[in-house]
């Protein structure tokens, strides 16, 4: 038995803004991301500063990087 393929033509034209629109799941699932997958550069800079600091108080020295990481995570809805 032969299967028949149905081609569905989009109702809108493809633009740079909507090329990936069909790839994203609908609703709230599209907005959810894992904390391990965001703010990687900020996390790496924070960790490097804390681990390799020569200061007697690395927490004080790296406070700005920790703040950048926290604000980045907050931008994705994570509260640290």
């Amino acid at each position: 038995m032969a299967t028949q393929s149905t081609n569905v033509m989009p109702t809108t034209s493809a633009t740079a803004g909507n090329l990936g629109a069909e790839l994203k799941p609908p609703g709230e699932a599209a907005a959810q991301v894992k904390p391990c997958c965001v703010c990687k550069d900020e996390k790496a800079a924070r960790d490097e500063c804390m681990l390799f600091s020569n200061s007697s108080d690395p927490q004080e020295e790296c406070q700005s990087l920790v703040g950048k990481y926290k604000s980045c995570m907050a931008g994705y809805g994570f509260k640290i």
Side-chain angles (χ1 to χ4, degrees):
M1 179 184 279
T3 59
Q4 187 173 357
S5 170
T6 306
N7 291 333
V8 177
M9 298 300 291
T11 58
T12 60
S13 61
T15 65
N18 69 4
L19 282 176
E22 292 81 29
L23 301 176
K24 296 177 185 174
E28 191 175 318
Q32 291 181 350
V33 293
K34 295 180 182 180
C36 63
C37 300
V38 296
C39 304
K40 289 183 176 185
D41 293 337
E42 291 84 351
K43 182 179 180 181
R46 177 207 63 183
D47 291 350
E48 185 175 335
C49 182
M50 292 294 282
L51 292 172
F52 300 112
S53 172
N54 291 327
S55 172
S56 61
D57 189 6
Q59 192 170 8
E60 180 67 32
E61 180 183 348
C62 304
Q63 186 175 7
S64 67
L65 293 172
V66 172
K68 286 180 184 179
Y69 176 69
K70 285 183 176 181
S71 66
C72 179
M73 293 297 284
Y76 287 96
F78 298 107
K79 293 182 170 80
I80 300 177

